[in-house]
Amino acid sequence: MESPLRRRDLLAAASATFLLAPLPAFAKKEEDPKLLLELGGTLSHRGQTVTRDKVRLRVAFFDDGMGRKVIWEQFPKVDCVDGVFSTTLNKLGTRAAPALPDTAHMELWVMEAGPHVSEVRLTPRLAVDWAGSGSAECLEVREGQSELDALDAGGSCTFIGDGALRVDITTLQRILKA
């Protein structure tokens, strides 16, 4: 059994070591801000807005417009209120090490949105160029129109799928979170 004097000496030595250690050793390490993806829009099925909790989507990014290699994907569950949904996707890396390159191609699926809607792949596959502001630009799919509209300037991106399923993306932006 250790003597009370020896135990006290050991505690004093440990305390002195802690107090005399250089401050940078205990300073909180500054982390690189994380990248998140803001995604929002409206969902309709057969011309009717979808109002449903826990609509499951699949958001996938590919390195090529026709490629099969998925470079990043998530399966968010969103709540649609009068067809409107919004979600923030994470695990997109950091500013110094993003999970997505500056140019990628996004594909959207509605995995589950009620008894008659499951595993519907939507088209087109969207070419996303994150360079500059961090917002994506989207080709409006409308007859006779071929200009790019910036989503953050009020444009939208229309995706369609089987069963008259339609998603209009109004927000698609990478953001930093400290």
Side-chain angles (χ1 to χ4, degrees):
M1 183 165 155
E2 288 185 41
S3 71
L5 183 60
R6 177 142 170 87
R7 191 175 307 144
R8 188 178 60 215
D9 292 341
L10 289 172
L11 286 173
S15 297
T17 302
F18 180 76
L19 292 173
L20 297 175
L23 287 178
F26 297 105
K28 185 176 178 182
K29 182 181 174 186
E30 190 171 317
E31 292 186 21
D32 191 20
K34 294 187 181 345
L35 283 171
L36 307 175
L37 181 68
E38 291 286 331
L39 175 68
T42 59
L43 174 62
S44 62
H45 181 236
R46 296 190 174 144
Q48 302 294 314
T49 58
V50 173
T51 297
R52 185 175 181 85
D53 294 342
K54 308 296 185 249
V55 171
R56 196 165 56 102
L57 303 175
R58 175 186 183 230
V59 181
F61 281 88
F62 299 79
D63 58 356
D64 186 294
M66 299 298 287
R68 293 182 180 206
K69 182 181 177 194
V70 175
I71 56 176
W72 183 89
E73 72 180 335
Q74 279 195 10
F75 294 83
K77 287 184 180 178
V78 297
D79 294 335
C80 288
V81 178
D82 294 326
V84 177
F85 69 90
S86 179
T87 188
T88 302
L89 305 175
N90 57 19
K91 299 183 182 170
L92 208 62
T94 63
R95 180 182 6 206
L100 294 175
D102 282 342
T103 302
H105 295 82
M106 186 180 95
E107 189 171 273
L108 188 62
W109 289 65
V110 176
M111 299 304 288
E112 185 181 331
H116 305 292
V117 178
S118 64
E119 296 188 25
V120 178
R121 179 178 173 261
L122 303 171
T123 58
R125 189 179 278 188
L126 173 66
V128 178
D129 183 0
W130 300 109
S133 70
S135 296
E137 291 186 342
C138 181
L139 182 63
E140 277 272 357
V141 182
R142 291 188 181 162
E143 191 174 326
Q145 185 180 18
S146 62
E147 68 185 58
L148 290 175
D149 290 320
L151 289 172
D152 59 355
S156 68
C157 204
T158 301
F159 292 83
I160 55 172
D162 292 342
L165 191 64
R166 176 184 172 124
V167 175
D168 292 300
I169 299 295
T170 55
T171 304
L172 181 61
Q173 185 171 21
R174 286 193 305 186
I175 59 171
L176 291 172
K177 179 182 179 186

